[in-house]
C-alpha cells in the first residue's frame, strides 16, 4: 500500500527527528510548537507521533477526536495515507500522522518508517518532524531511520544532559550529523542563584549548536490542556516567543545576531538577554 503511494521525490523535504534520550523533557511540546510555527510561516508540515505508549502529540494539537486511522492501519492495508494524515483545521498546511493507537499492534520496522516518510515526502511536504519516543530502543531507531537532521531537547539537569550526550553519539553513529540543541525549562532566577546551569554551560557541555532556549512557563501546561499550541496565542507568552524564535532559526530566517536587527528588537533582545546575558 505504502509502496503504491510512492511517487518521485522531486522537492526538498527536511526530515527532522525531535529526540532527547530522557523522557518528559519537552519533545512533544517542542514538536507541536515548532511544527505549528513553521506551518504559520507558510510551509507544508507533517508531524509524526512515533511515541506509542505515551502518545500525546494529538492532544497537544487538539486533534485527538479526529484520528480514525494510524500508520499501522496503512501498513495493514486498512486505509490510505491521506486518511491517516489528519489536517489541522486552523492551519491546513499542518498534518499529523500517529504511528499507532495501541501498543500491542506496534511492530513497525525501519523499512516501514522509511517508506511512510517517503510517501509523505512525495505529497509535497517541506518539513517532516518526528516526535521520538523516550529511550534508545527500537522506537528510537525507527524514528531516526528516515531523518537527516535532529533536534536534541534537554533540560539544564545533569541526568537529561547525560542522556542528550548519549543520543548525540548514537545519532552520529547512524550518520545524522546535522544536529541542533534546544534547552527547555530554563529558570533564570535559579541560574542567577547558581542553582541551575546556564544555557551556555549546557551548550558547551554538549558541544551542539544552539537552536533555542525555552523558559519554564505555566503557559505550557495551560496550552497542553487546551490542545492549543503556545505559538497560536494572540499575545505570545515568553515560551511562545522562544518557540517561534527557534522555528525561525530552524528555517534559516533568524539567528541571535539577526534578532537584534528585526523590528521586534525590543522583545527579542529582552528574551536573548534573559537567557544568555546582555554581553551577547
Ligand atoms: P516529552 O515528550 O519529552 O516526554 P513533553 O513535551 O510531554 O515531554 O513534556 C513533559 C511535561 O513537561 C508536560 O507536562 C509539559 O507540559 C511540561 N513542560 C514541557 N516544557 C515545559 C516548559 N517549558 N515549562 C513548563 N512545563 C513544561
Ligand atoms: Mg512525548
Amino acid at each position: 500500500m505504502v509502496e503504491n503511494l510512492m511517487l518521485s521525490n522531486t522537492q526538498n523535504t527536511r526530515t527532522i527527528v525531535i529526540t532527547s534520550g530522557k523522557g518528559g523533557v519537552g519533545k512533544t511540546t517542542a514538536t507541536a510548537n515548532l511544527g505549528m510555527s513553521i506551518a504559520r510561516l507558510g510551509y507544508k508540515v507533517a508531524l509524526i507521533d512515533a511515541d506509542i505508549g505515551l502518545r500525546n502529540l494529538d492532544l497537544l494539537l487538539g486533534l485527538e477526536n479526529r484520528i480514525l486511522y494510524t500508520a499501522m492501519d496503512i501498513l495493514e492495508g486498512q486505509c490510505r495515507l491521506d486518511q491517516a494524515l489528519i489536517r489541522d483545521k486552523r492551519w491546513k498546511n499542518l498534518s499529523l500522522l500517529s504511528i499507532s493507537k495501541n501498543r500491542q499492534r506496534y511492530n513497525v520496522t525501519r523499512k516501514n518508517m522509511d517508506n511512510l516518510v517517503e510517501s509523505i515526502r512525495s505529497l509535497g511536504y517541506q518539513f517532516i518532524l518526528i516526535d521520538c519516543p523516550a529511550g534508545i530502543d527500537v522506537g528510537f531507531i525507527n524514528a531516526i531511520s528516515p531523518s537527516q537532521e535532529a533536534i536534541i531537547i534537554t533540560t539544564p539537569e545533569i541526568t537529561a544532559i547525560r542522556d542528550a550526550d548519549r543520543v548525540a553519539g548514537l545519532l552520529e553513529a547512524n550518520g545524522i550529523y546535522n544536529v541542533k540543541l534546544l534547552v527547555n525549562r530554563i529558570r533564570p532566577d535559579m541560574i542567577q542563584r547558581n542553582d541551575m546551569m546556564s544555557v551556555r554551560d549546557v551548550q558547551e557541555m554538549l558541544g551542539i549548536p544552539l537552536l533555542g532556549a525555552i523558559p519554564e512557563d505555566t503557559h505550557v501546561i495551560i496550552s497542553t490542556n487546551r490542545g492549543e499550541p503556545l505559538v497560536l496565542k494572540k499575545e505570545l507568552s515568553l515560551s511562545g516567543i522562544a518557540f517561534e524564535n527557534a522555528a525561525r532559526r530552524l528555517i534559516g530566517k533568524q539567528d541571535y545576531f539577526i534578532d537584534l536587527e528585526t523590528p521586534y528588537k525590543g522583545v527579542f533582545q529582552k528574551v536573548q538577554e534573559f537567557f544568555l546575558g546582555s554581553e551577547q
Side-chain angles (χ1 to χ4, degrees):
M1 183 75 188
V2 170
E3 275 80 1
N4 293 343
L5 289 165
M6 280 217 278
L7 303 167
S8 67
N9 174 29
T10 45
Q11 93 285 348
N12 236 346
T13 308
R14 288 176 66 183
T15 306
I16 308 171
V17 63
I18 319 276
T19 183
S20 66
K22 188 168 162 44
V25 296
K27 289 178 296 296
T28 304
T29 306
T31 308
N33 282 287
L34 292 176
M36 186 60 88
S37 260
I38 299 170
R40 277 157 52 93
L41 289 164
Y43 296 87
K44 201 170 168 187
V45 182
L47 307 180
I48 301 182
D49 191 344
D51 203 335
I52 316 300
L54 303 166
R55 184 178 71 101
N56 50 19
L57 189 51
D58 54 336
L59 286 172
L60 265 70
L61 293 164
L63 296 176
E64 68 277 14
N65 295 327
R66 311 240 328 266
I67 299 181
L68 295 178
Y69 298 107
T70 64
M72 283 306 299
D73 299 310
I74 305 174
L75 296 170
E76 288 170 1
Q78 308 289 327
C79 73
R80 298 183 313 269
L81 174 61
D82 61 293
Q83 292 173 293
L85 210 46
I86 311 297
R87 273 186 188 216
D88 188 274
K89 279 216 176 88
R90 299 154 292 197
W91 289 87
K92 295 215 169 4
N93 51 335
L94 179 76
S95 301
L96 169 70
L97 175 71
S98 293
I99 295 295
S100 173
K101 289 187 193 171
N102 187 332
R103 197 172 254 291
Q104 273 72 53
R105 288 173 64 217
Y106 181 59
N107 52 3
V108 176
T109 64
R110 281 177 74 162
K111 187 90 188 115
N112 291 151
M113 273 301 276
D114 293 349
N115 286 340
L116 278 168
V117 166
E118 196 51 46
S119 305
I120 296 173
R121 271 192 196 132
S122 70
L123 296 176
Y125 283 88
Q126 290 155 298
F127 284 87
I128 301 174
L129 304 187
I130 304 178
D131 183 11
C132 188
I136 47 172
D137 57 12
V138 61
F140 169 80
I141 297 297
N142 281 344
I144 69 168
S145 178
S147 308
Q148 294 97 40
E149 298 178 45
I151 297 173
I152 298 184
I153 317 273
T154 187
T155 57
E157 286 166 88
I158 199 70
T159 48
I161 295 170
R162 186 199 278 161
D163 287 359
D165 194 40
R166 179 101 194 274
V167 159
L170 288 171
L171 289 169
E172 198 178 327
N174 282 277
I176 301 177
Y177 304 110
N178 187 345
V179 179
K180 294 185 183 73
L181 181 67
L182 195 61
V183 186
N184 190 21
R185 307 194 81 148
I186 302 294
R187 298 243 336 238
D189 56 326
M190 288 181 71
I191 295 174
Q192 255 159 27
R193 292 197 304 269
N194 260 336
D195 289 333
M196 182 179 270
M197 262 181 268
S198 72
V199 176
R200 190 171 291 147
D201 289 343
V202 176
Q203 196 267 321
E204 279 173 7
M205 274 181 85
L206 288 167
I208 302 168
L210 190 65
L211 179 69
I214 316 294
E216 171 79 28
D217 187 351
T218 48
H219 288 97
V220 173
I221 296 150
I222 299 168
S223 100
T224 300
N225 291 338
R226 291 204 180 137
E228 192 181 91
L230 294 155
V231 295
L232 285 181
K233 274 263 174 247
K234 275 212 183 84
E235 264 188 48
L236 284 181
S237 55
L238 200 55
S239 53
I241 295 172
F243 271 121
E244 231 172 38
N245 223 337
R248 293 178 66 85
R249 205 166 296 118
L250 187 64
I251 62 170
K253 289 219 160 144
Q254 190 164 37
D255 61 36
Y256 283 117
F257 302 103
I258 296 169
D259 287 0
L260 301 174
E261 310 301 322
T262 65
Y264 303 103
K265 182 172 172 175
V267 180
F268 286 121
Q269 188 161 11
K270 219 164 78 194
V271 172
Q272 179 194 318
E273 286 173 6
F274 202 61
F275 295 132
L276 296 170
S278 51
E279 80 274 18
Q280 266 277 303

